[in-house]
Amino acid sequence: MIRPASPADAEEVVPLIIQAMGKLANKLTNIDEEKVLIEIFTYFFQLKGNQYSYENTLVYEEEGKVLGSLNAYDGGKLPELRKPFLNYVAERYQTSKLNQGTETETGEFYLDSISVNPTAQGKGIGKQLIIAGIDWAEKLGHHTVGLLVENNNPDAQRLYKKMNFVIQNEKQFMGGLYHHMVFKIK
């Protein structure tokens, strides 16, 4: 079952968000300690009005256990959604504010992080979450859904292409090269 996340899902969803982000979580925060990353992302997951909020998250739940998550939002709102997160990290952890750049485009519903628990991978959960994300975008009135995929991740690229995402351009983001892929809602 796919449903909107709630603040109570933090313990299961936050590790999934960090898993999806990989090293980007460290680059975004300038923090390497996993425990501290979990504290920061948990704090923001449970709040409204930010990029990693429960209100921007769908979860895939089976038998009472969250096995996957999708974090998504209006791409044009990324600067305002990211600002409280970056300010908090800079003030609380004395990290320098970096210019992270923007991975989203105005006019698209952006699928930020799609993650499936390693014990449940290969069962189509990620695909179901992507479909739910597209449906969510359509309900909100968006006509384009976008995401970034690392150039060196051919498995993910194949999945997105099978789902009718097309490469729009390449983006440099936090030191990596990514394909910016889009899905057009008819």
Side-chain angles (χ1 to χ4, degrees):
M1 167 179 91
I2 295 177
R3 62 170 175 79
S6 74
D9 293 317
E11 188 176 333
E12 291 178 290
V13 174
V14 166
L16 292 172
I17 293 171
I18 293 170
Q19 171 184 287
M21 291 180 73
K23 293 288 181 197
L24 291 179
N26 307 101
K27 289 180 180 182
L28 180 65
T29 60
N30 263 348
I31 293 172
D32 290 324
E33 296 174 58
E34 186 174 352
K35 180 180 176 232
V36 175
L37 285 175
I38 289 171
E39 288 171 8
I40 293 168
F41 281 89
T42 298
Y43 176 74
F44 278 94
F45 180 81
Q46 294 174 329
L47 293 178
K48 291 183 176 187
N50 73 86
Q51 180 180 4
Y52 302 107
S53 173
Y54 70 90
E55 64 189 349
N56 295 325
T57 306
L58 297 176
V59 296
Y60 179 97
E61 184 179 58
E62 195 172 278
E63 297 177 9
K65 182 164 176 52
V66 172
L67 298 178
S69 68
L70 168 81
N71 176 256
Y73 43 82
D74 181 329
K77 294 183 179 177
L78 176 61
E80 74 185 66
L81 291 171
R82 185 175 277 166
K83 187 177 179 178
F85 182 89
L86 293 179
N87 287 344
Y88 176 86
V89 170
E91 291 167 17
R92 180 139 184 174
Y93 297 96
Q94 288 78 46
T95 61
S96 61
K97 286 188 184 182
L98 298 175
N99 179 7
Q100 275 73 18
T102 303
E103 66 267 35
T104 64
E105 300 281 333
T106 298
E108 73 181 12
F109 190 69
Y110 184 69
L111 306 185
D112 185 297
S113 61
I114 304 156
S115 189
V116 176
N117 185 307
T119 64
Q121 291 178 355
K123 297 179 180 181
I125 294 171
K127 185 176 181 179
Q128 290 179 58
L129 284 164
I130 294 165
I131 292 167
I134 292 168
D135 292 345
W136 187 12
E138 188 171 17
K139 285 177 188 157
L140 293 174
H142 291 275
H143 300 288
T144 303
V145 176
L147 55 81
L148 288 189
V149 61
E150 289 179 282
N151 284 10
N152 63 358
N153 190 345
D155 293 339
Q157 289 176 39
R158 267 192 298 283
L159 170 64
Y160 300 136
K161 284 179 182 177
K162 281 182 186 176
M163 297 183 74
N164 297 317
F165 280 82
V166 296
I167 296 172
Q168 184 172 4
N169 55 35
E170 287 194 351
K171 283 195 175 237
Q172 287 281 129
F173 180 63
M174 288 204 225
L177 189 59
Y178 295 83
H179 289 303
H180 177 232
M181 299 184 78
V182 297
F183 176 93
K184 296 291 184 181
I185 298 172
K186 296 175 181 165

